[in-house]
Amino acid sequence: MQVHEFAQPFAAGRGDVGVLFLHGFTASPWTLRAWAGATAEAGYRVSVPRLPGHGTSWRELEVTDGRDWYAAAERAFVELRGECSTVFVAGLSMGGALALQLAERHADEVAGLVLVNPALVGHPRLTLVPLAQHVIRTVDSVGSSIRKAGVTEHSYPRTPLRAVHAMMRLWADVRARLDLVYCPILLLHSDADDVVPIISKEIVLRQVSSEEITEVALPDSAHVAPLDNDADLIVERTLDFLTEHAVR
């Protein structure tokens, strides 16, 4: 299936410190390209893979699940790890869940996490999804939650419930092993996130074993914050975090 031009994977930079960026559900590398690009310009090697089922058609997303998404994230991590002495992982929404899963399974190799509105639970209405998926194939788009006028993340116009259920299973898998996360974490969260409930952030704070967690509020952004009004703040705090924790 053809991958849209905006959804192509992105890689840049030549530094010995790498940062893997993981996009969210129904989105694509486009969502993180500016954030990753600014990080590369600051002297880091960056990689933004396209997760399976994304950047093509919701029909392809419908037949992928958390195992596919994690496998792609892990492949990109291993490749970046082979090129760099130190690797951080940054993730938005479901990409944040995948970043945490990488830290659970590669605890000795993930130098730190940068999480923007990480998703580990959904709104209560999602409890209907396991049954509803057998009756309703798709619902309206869940993407492009952005305050900034004229900006889109090019998300799918429809959201397949089968894939939503797969994401919910991924969340459960990640939540069950959060105590295995020990690395430093930069946790950025939007005050006006209308997609991921605040309890998701609280689960991270409560269950990881990391001794260092830095919280940063994003006062003027909705869920897709890297494309919203606080994009510069995300870049600034990310670079501060990398500078503090990277071993060059």
Side-chain angles (χ1 to χ4, degrees), residues 176-229:
R177 298 170 177 82
L178 281 175
D179 61 303
L180 300 178
V181 177
Y182 290 91
C183 62
I185 296 175
L186 174 61
L187 179 57
L188 304 106
H189 51 89
S190 299
D191 292 341
D193 191 340
D194 58 349
V195 175
V196 174
I198 192 67
I199 189 175
S200 188
K201 179 197 76 168
E202 294 169 352
I203 288 171
V204 174
L205 295 173
R206 184 172 64 245
Q207 294 185 214
V208 298
S209 298
S210 303
E211 294 183 358
E212 181 183 338
I213 304 177
T214 303
E215 285 191 79
V216 177
L218 304 174
D220 196 20
S221 295
H223 181 64
V224 190
L227 291 179
D228 216 328
N229 295 309

Side-chain angles (χ1 to χ4, degrees), residues 122-184:
H123 286 286
R125 63 179 178 270
L126 292 187
T127 58
L128 300 174
V129 168
L131 291 177
Q133 65 172 328
H134 300 295
V135 181
I136 303 171
R137 187 176 182 184
T138 68
V139 295
D140 289 340
S141 172
V142 297
S144 290
S145 172
I146 302 170
R147 279 186 169 185
K148 192 172 183 179
V151 178
T152 179
E153 66 170 338
H154 299 290
S155 59
Y156 289 146
R158 305 293 299 173
T159 303
L161 288 189
R162 180 176 174 181
V164 174
H165 189 216
M167 178 172 60
M168 294 168 66
R169 294 195 301 270
L170 168 67
W171 292 342
D173 289 344
V174 176
R175 292 196 307 267
R177 298 170 177 82
L178 281 175
D179 61 303
L180 300 178
V181 177
Y182 290 91
C183 62

Side-chain angles (χ1 to χ4, degrees), residues 46-60:
V46 304
S47 171
V48 193
R50 180 185 66 87
L51 301 178
H54 293 77
T56 55
S57 164
W58 64 260
R59 292 173 179 83
E60 184 181 17

